[in-house]
Amino acid sequence: PKQRGSPREFKRHSSLQPRIGAMAPSILTNLGCAGGAAVITVTFIHPIDTVKTRLQVSGTGNARNYAELGLAGTCSTIAKEEGIAAFWKGIPAAWMREASYTSFRLGLYAPLKKAFGADKPDSPFIMKFAAGGASGGLGSIVGNPFDILKTKMMASETGLGLGATASSIYSNQGLIGFYKGIDANIMRAIVNNGTKMACYDQSKSLIKNNAPAPLNDGVPLQALASFVAGFFMTCTVAPFDICRTRLMNQPADKPKVYFNLFD
């Protein structure tokens, strides 16, 4: 009889290890993990997004001129007049947006990077940007209706709920109203995700090869690469973000002021 732990037994089990280690997560696993992480994250950063949206729509239509108040004044005014809970206006729509848009933009990046031939360490930056941009663009199409709802709810000082906001859009503009600003949103998502993912991959490789320990491995490496990617993403996406917010926040029951990205 075979002895447990014999060389033949060890060889038989160890031969399975490369195959087990080589098993990559499925696309559905990638989508689920990306969406779940994004929903948790947005719960904590939503107040910042609410303040940003108020500043972006400042002075348009009947909106208050928050730009004159500045960042601190905007936060203070919202807290005093609408309460602390106002910083989480639109959070149900934000959860749905992250569960759809972010699931696709992050979950599809690895498969698309492989399809574009950008999964090698020495792959060109432009190919990584193309893979990130493609996954972001696809995600923005899926998430645009929730983006519309989230933007309107965050910008509203009266506090309309998710159902009332969706009903107002549908009754005045039909289903097409949920895809208002889609051109700006797709462009924003392409630039956003393309820059973020490509810069993250590129900076992570550079830091790993050039930075001293312990910065070149583990959490410090990931944190530094994320910081670099976030900085460049913010710089490149800001103009598209403002255009998208202005397009999406137009009143559903009044004539349009902006018709497309270039207006």
Side-chain angles (χ1 to χ4, degrees):
K2 293 180 181 178
Q3 297 291 324
R4 185 179 295 274
S6 66
R8 181 178 296 179
E9 186 79 3
F10 175 77
K11 184 177 180 181
R12 184 170 67 85
H13 286 294
S14 63
S15 65
L16 296 174
Q17 297 306 313
R19 282 184 289 169
I20 294 173
M23 289 174 64
S26 68
I27 291 180
L28 288 178
T29 301
N30 285 338
L31 294 177
C33 290
V39 167
I40 295 171
T41 302
V42 79
T43 305
F44 294 98
I45 67 170
H46 192 75
I48 301 172
D49 208 13
T50 299
V51 174
K52 180 198 74 170
T53 300
R54 294 289 180 96
L55 288 166
Q56 287 179 335
V57 301
S58 176
T60 60
N62 297 323
R64 185 199 303 251
N65 195 345
Y66 285 101
E68 290 183 345
L69 300 175
L71 178 60
T74 299
C75 293
S76 176
T77 300
I78 293 173
K80 287 178 181 177
E81 296 185 3
E82 303 172 52
I84 296 298
F87 290 102
W88 278 271
K89 280 183 177 179
I91 192 65
W95 287 330
M96 290 187 283
R97 186 245 189 193
E98 296 304 324
S100 54
Y101 164 63
T102 302
S103 293
F104 275 78
R105 76 175 179 85
L106 294 183
L108 292 180
Y109 176 61
L112 286 174
K113 189 166 67 166
K114 185 176 182 180
F116 282 43
D119 55 341
K120 308 293 188 297
D122 59 345
S123 298
F125 177 86
I126 189 64
M127 296 307 295
K128 295 176 183 177
F129 181 93
S135 61
L138 290 171
S140 70
I141 296 172
V142 177
N144 201 81
F146 307 117
D147 236 337
I148 293 271
L149 293 167
K150 183 191 78 161
T151 300
K152 284 186 172 294
M153 292 171 73
M154 288 192 299
S156 171
E157 295 180 339
T158 58
L160 281 177
L162 179 65
T165 304
S167 177
S168 174
I169 294 171
Y170 183 75
S171 61
N172 287 285
Q173 298 177 328
L175 288 176
I176 196 67
F178 292 99
Y179 282 89
K180 190 163 52 178
I182 185 67
D183 54 343
N185 205 23
I186 291 174
M187 283 302 301
R188 174 193 178 277
I190 290 172
V191 173
N192 179 328
N193 213 51
T195 304
K196 182 186 293 183
M197 304 309 289
C199 284
Y200 177 82
D201 277 355
Q202 203 77 9
S203 60
K204 187 177 179 181
S205 177
L206 289 171
I207 295 168
K208 186 173 184 177
N209 294 330
N210 297 289
L215 299 178
N216 62 352
D217 193 27
V219 174
L221 170 61
Q222 295 167 0
L224 280 174
S226 297
F227 178 84
V228 173
F231 173 79
F232 284 106
M233 180 272 293
T234 303
C235 293
T236 55
V237 83
F240 299 100
D241 203 27
I242 292 176
C243 292
R244 179 201 66 158
T245 302
R246 295 282 179 92
L247 280 162
M248 289 183 170
N249 193 52
Q250 296 181 94
D253 56 348
K254 295 180 181 179
K256 287 185 178 181
V257 178
Y258 310 106
F259 288 89
N260 54 55
L261 174 64
F262 301 102
D263 285 345

